[in-house]
Amino acid sequence: MNRKYKMIIVDAMILFAISGVIAAAMLLTQRLIQGKSSLENLMITTIIQSNKEKTEAAYNENKELINQADENGRTPLMWVAYINFRDDNNRKSTEEKRVGIAKFLIEKGADIKAVDNDKWSTLHWAAWSGLPAIAEELINAGIEMSGADKDGNTPLMLASIRGNADVAKILVEKGADKTLKNKNGKTALELATENKAAYKEKATSYDEIISILQ
């Protein structure tokens, strides 16, 4: 074999090795972003799709998935309560699809006492996302309403920070403690007042929360 072809083969082998390294790096990055367990937990995938039928099928195929947390400590039930929509219409339509999933998982034994790596419970996620129907399902199932995350924030405080008046109202009606303070010494009322000034487009929602908490 002449020198020219040897060099071509060597170059090809080097490119192949580099491609393998790049592919491995991309996979690692994806897993770090999404969480290895979330990629492997089919139930979380079906929940993100807001597909109740597929979630039930995933459960029937492997019941252990119901409380399998991802690397951030988030269980499938927590993923049900996570929706990152500020638009009310999108949030409400997605919640309508997920309420049935929440009921199903609770009925099948999903751990409502679980908290993630930041000590957020499923109710923290529902309060942050602005999901009153799911929050009510969780409360009726007996979830702790005044549990604090690593910063001392309760679900009521998160609802107040985000301006989610419908969730705040349910929490207060169900008996959530309005007087608790986070690690910064702030009550839910103080947090709502501060954030009203920062997010004037949601002033009406914050006013409603302030009225509820006073």
Side-chain angles (χ1 to χ4, degrees), residues 77-169:
L77 188 58
M78 292 178 193
W79 278 94
V80 172
Y82 169 64
I83 298 175
N84 193 20
F85 292 141
R86 298 292 285 184
D87 177 76
D88 286 342
N89 291 330
N90 284 335
R91 187 173 69 249
K92 289 177 181 178
S93 64
T94 302
E95 184 183 26
E96 288 175 2
K97 297 174 184 176
R98 292 198 185 174
V99 169
I101 299 177
K103 290 180 180 179
F104 173 79
L105 294 181
I106 292 170
E107 289 172 358
K108 296 301 181 181
D111 185 4
I112 61 171
K113 295 181 179 180
V115 295
D116 64 18
N117 295 351
D118 293 316
K119 296 187 70 176
W120 280 34
S121 68
T122 304
L123 189 57
H124 279 90
W125 282 106
W128 185 89
S129 300
L131 307 178
I134 291 176
E136 189 163 17
E137 288 293 331
L138 294 167
I139 294 168
N140 291 341
I143 198 168
E144 172 60 47
M145 284 193 292
S146 296
D149 66 13
K150 67 178 185 179
D151 296 315
N153 290 315
T154 64
L156 180 58
M157 292 175 189
L158 292 185
S160 299
I161 290 169
R162 295 276 285 180
N164 293 327
D166 42 8
V167 178
K169 182 179 180 180

Side-chain angles (χ1 to χ4, degrees), residues 20-85:
V21 171
I22 293 172
M26 291 176 66
L27 178 60
L28 177 60
T29 300
Q30 183 183 34
R31 285 172 179 256
L32 287 172
I33 293 172
Q34 298 184 9
K36 182 175 182 293
S37 296
S38 67
L39 291 174
E40 295 176 348
N41 191 333
L42 177 61
M43 186 176 290
I44 291 176
T45 301
T46 64
I47 288 167
I48 292 171
Q49 297 170 346
S50 302
N51 192 312
K52 183 174 182 288
E53 290 73 20
K54 288 184 178 180
T55 300
E56 292 177 356
Y59 170 80
N60 291 328
E61 183 176 339
N62 184 359
K63 293 178 173 56
E64 293 183 1
L65 294 178
I66 194 168
N67 287 314
Q68 183 188 87
D70 65 18
E71 69 172 15
N72 295 307
R74 297 167 191 161
T75 64
L77 188 58
M78 292 178 193
W79 278 94
V80 172
Y82 169 64
I83 298 175
N84 193 20
F85 292 141

Side-chain angles (χ1 to χ4, degrees), residues 174-189:
K174 296 289 186 177
D177 192 340
K178 299 186 290 184
T179 67
L180 295 176
K181 297 182 179 181
N182 63 16
K183 289 186 178 180
N184 291 321
K186 301 291 181 66
T187 64
L189 176 58

